[in-house]
Amino acid sequence: MVEEKGGQGRPSIKATKAAEQISQLRRWHYDRLNHAQDYGQFVALSMIGVADEVLRSFDVMVSLGENYGPVCAAKQVSGYFCGIAEGDGYSVDLCSYLRTGMGYLSRLKEAGDTPPEAPYGGMGKPDMIVAPAIFCDGRYKYPQAARRYIDVPSFVYDMRDIPYWEIEKDPQSIYRYIDYYYERLKELVAFLERVTGKKYDPDRLSECVDLWVKGHNLFHDACEFRKSRPNPLPSQDSFAVCFPNLNFKGTKECVDYYQMLYNELKYMADNKIGAIQDEKYRIFWLGLPPWFYLGIFNYLQDNGVCTLDRTYDPGDRIEDLDLSDPLYAVAKKAYAWFWFGSGQMRRQNMAKQFAQFVEEYEVDGVITLMATTCRMSTGMLHQRRLINEWAGVPVLNLEADMVDIRTFSEAHIKAKLDAFLETIDANKGRRAG
């Protein structure tokens, strides 16, 4: 096992070799971003949920603005960049992912080059900004703010969320959303043609979509092994192995990685090997982790707790995708039943879905992180109440930011975790009796 720096407390110790290799892959990814122009490629500063396979078909690498926040948090510099953004006038209540990004860009402009404190040599030199206006308002405000520091073309395109109850009432209504998004993707293609000087190549896009789907399905199949007892993929590993799915999906490297992950987890499941051989409790971690302290999962593990999460799951498999019009295929799969970070915009009854997960995985308790500056996280308060009501197991709500370490107290969090484990133990005793 390999230790990775994980915050104020102990480092995060991984249970799988695949998770151990993420640090090397992360270094490779940012090295490619920082030298993209040397390979004849472009860099787009963007956000999770962007149609990355479309950009990749134009030889555009995606540098995810908010994903650099966890990288900086793991290296203990996110608070530093947040402070710089606040000095530039951004509120302390603004999403800390975006404050980290604004602080980095501010230092980039000030230094005239990549600031020396930036992990992995920085986020690359953006040739453009491309953002999908979905999920939270930061996704369309980020390009505006970023242009205070970098003068590059920007493009924000619309995606419409579709509530699950509309589909239940009229399944055919989904095609209105797909067709609308298809038209927006055409506008994205026109922007990319202008900025890159390249022409849209449907054959190239088909290759990227095919690789995207292969990587997606392998990741899905690998995650299914968490149903095994003992679980071979605890949360400290899960929050690592999602990196290729977020950052370079639609590439051979991504497919190869998830094939390796699948093979390792299958071997572990077949041979009854897990992060904890004797699982005392199973806890479902709902939402974001404190990226500066992933060692929290090892602290729980020391108490016999196996943690499971679905925060960055790929979701359902994709079957029989028609690539005769690959751009339409991108629009259509965006409304399939899988996770938002893979491009999904078809909302489900989340509380019901998570309650089913608790039952299916025989979970003994739920821990949620109320990430104080994440609009999505605070917007799930009602969902958390429903989970508490429907799941029939204890639920602990922790309060801390996802990357701003200045809001975190390790001693306070550990005290709450210890008390929660006592509650779970008492609850299990009542259920057994």
Side-chain angles (χ1 to χ4, degrees), residues 279-283 303-306 364 421 424-425 428:
E279 297 177 2
K280 187 177 180 181
Y281 309 119
R282 281 195 161 200
I283 288 182
N303 288 277
V305 174
C306 166
D364 300 303
L421 293 181
I424 288 180
D425 193 55
K428 285 195 72 172

Side-chain angles (χ1 to χ4, degrees), residues 394 423 425-433:
T423 301
D425 193 55
N427 186 67
K428 285 195 72 172
R430 285 193 299 268
R431 290 163 68 187

